[in-house]
Amino acid sequence: MMTEQEMEDRGLIEAGHMFRCSRAEKAHEGGEKPAVFLSENDKRRADWHGADWTDKNGVVHHMLLCPECHRKLLAIQATHQRDMYEFENEGIL
Ligand SMILES: [Zn+2]
């Protein structure tokens, strides 16, 4: 996972305090893109996560994820992990 400094370096946290989810409004329950101003010591900063992924062309994509989207990402990662494990071990298990 990315540190807050890395998120800032990538421009994901605007002006150091503005957290705006990278995903579209429609990707969220209620159809609104979460955007919150969180001061330096606000514990809710820990609920936001930077995430990188690399596409098949080797292009790295940077995202800042709100708590809702981060939960979805973890579910996708768990599914992918299970699929890859089954793929690697097909015929053995
Ligand atoms: Zn989101």
Side-chain angles (χ1 to χ4, degrees):
M1 278 297 166
M2 227 180 272
T3 65
E4 276 195 10
Q5 187 60 55
E6 288 169 330
M7 290 189 259
E8 285 190 37
D9 291 347
R10 288 165 171 78
L12 294 171
I13 302 175
E14 301 158 38
H17 298 296
M18 191 65 202
F19 289 65
R20 191 185 316 274
C21 186
S22 298
R23 298 183 74 228
E25 292 183 357
K26 288 182 178 175
H28 297 88
E29 286 179 30
E32 279 185 39
K33 184 194 281 266
V36 287
F37 185 90
L38 300 175
S39 64
E40 200 78 27
N41 299 320
D42 196 314
K43 289 185 169 59
R44 291 174 294 168
R45 290 174 83 107
D47 298 332
W48 288 72
H49 297 272
D52 286 340
W53 70 280
T54 305
D55 67 24
K56 65 179 181 180
N57 298 317
V59 177
V60 179
H61 300 246
H62 305 299
M63 297 181 292
L64 178 65
L65 299 177
C66 70
E68 176 188 340
C69 291
H70 184 245
R71 282 191 294 276
K72 290 179 183 174
L73 175 65
L74 292 179
I76 289 169
Q77 289 175 334
T79 300
H80 181 67
Q81 176 81 12
R82 189 178 59 242
D83 288 347
M84 289 307 297
Y85 188 80
E86 287 174 6
F87 175 71
E88 182 181 356
N89 294 289
E90 185 177 357
I92 300 171
L93 297 176

